[in-house]
Amino acid sequence: MSWSVSFSISLLWICIFSSFSSSSLASAVTLSGGCNKPPILFVFGDSNSDTGGLVSGLGFPVNLPNGRTFFGRSTGRLSDGRLVIDFLCQSLNTRILTPYLDSLSGSGFTNGANFAVVGSSTLPKYVPFALNIQVMQFQHFKARSLQLASSGTKNMINEEGFRGALYLIDIGQNDLADSFTKNLSYAQVVKKIPTVIAEIENAVKSLYNEGGRKFWLHNTGPFGCLPKLIALSDKKDLDSFGCLSSYNYAARLFNEALYHSSQKLRTELKDATLVYVDIYAIKNDLIANATKYGFSNPLMVCCGYGGPPYNFNVRVTCGQPGYQVCDEGSRHVSWDGIHYTEAANTWIASKILSTAYSTPRTPFGFFCSH
Ligand SMILES: *[C@@H]1O[C@H](CO)[C@@H](O)[C@H](O)[C@H]1NC(C)=O
Ligand SMILES: *[C@@H]1O[C@H](CO)[C@@H](O)[C@H](O)[C@H]1NC(C)=O
């Protein structure tokens, strides 16, 4: 099914942490120091940040063993446990975010919302849940919150809350990866990059026009190292790490363009803070130096089927009849061929929080409310 990168659906995310023990997050938290007054967070993106939007929005089943490590049940996240966004929320001492589409959330939307949905891309527009749809959902959320607040409903996010909130965007991987899997040539994929970047710029500007002033932008990872994509590609132009060179080259071109765009936005959007985070460098280090960091072969999927070299079979994916799952997820980088394990996400989050990969080098704690 469909959580595959080719599934073009995206939702808005809401990051609400409800029941996490802060001690288990210690590794991610120490670097940021936490917040006495956590900020409100709004998240936009794809499966890298979907905390249950796909399940809430479309009723798609996401079964165990997804969720087995931390939650002990499936939460709709495509991983054995927490995602990077969960660790970022925890580092700010805020609850993990509730998916915008989750109408039965016990924890509600007082600390923000997560609009990210599995499979989302920036283009085409106006399909569920493209980035512009996620932004439209946010605009609805904001208008409705202000309306309810002005008629006396308690615990609604007010104008000041929206202005002080942190807006996190992590999208683009599916725009590129789907193009490759639909057989577009490298040149055709690269030609799409400017329109994808323009969509991300539009999203930031729309959020700015709504009052947002704090932005956190993730670039895209080395998706040429995702075991599913390697297993399914006809042309295996593998580099010395066993990753698809052309895919990763396209990712780097995309990231260069996003970096320039973020510089431009910083000068255009007065009194805004926009932090660009080099997720590519973090994941690339993890994959290249996996054994040094305590992981086994980074291209071998934990939850899948078929054995080496990738343990990935498109007909028997994680959670589908016949799948097999590894005992020690904590030794694996890849959970299901596309998504990372909780152990890998913990490592990645700690690098994000180190500020070493951020431009400018803004500590995450900067976004605490004052
Ligand atoms: C992609 O292109 C290759 C070679 O041009 C062809 O053999 C293959 O069937 C195509 N795949 C799809 C999904 O169209
Ligand atoms: C792997 O680790 C070495 C030694 O710390 C470092 O120089 C190198 O840049 C790392 N590789 C990547 C791809 O980050």
Side-chain angles (χ1 to χ4, degrees), residues 181-183 234:
T181 54
K182 284 181 191 139
N183 240 359
D234 307 327

Side-chain angles (χ1 to χ4, degrees), residues 2 6 25 30 80 105 139 142 165 173 175 178 191 239 320 324 339 344 360:
S2 50
S6 53
L25 276 185
T30 39
D80 57 333
S105 156
Q139 287 164 334
K142 184 187 169 207
Q173 174 178 309
D175 287 282
D178 287 357
K191 229 171 126 186
D239 64 19
Q320 301 301 307
Q324 288 166 354
H339 307 99

Side-chain angles (χ1 to χ4, degrees), residues 13-19 40-42 51 94-114 141 145 154-157:
W13 315 3
I14 294 195
C15 198
I16 296 200
F17 278 71
S18 48
S19 54
I40 288 162
L41 251 101
F42 295 101
T51 55
T94 190
R95 299 190 313 279
I96 53 171
L97 290 183
T98 300
Y100 169 70
L101 295 174
D102 189 352
S103 50
L104 294 176
S105 156
S107 33
F109 299 105
T110 54
N111 69 334
N114 186 352
F141 178 93
S145 297
K154 289 209 168 54
N155 295 326
M156 289 290 132
I157 299 171

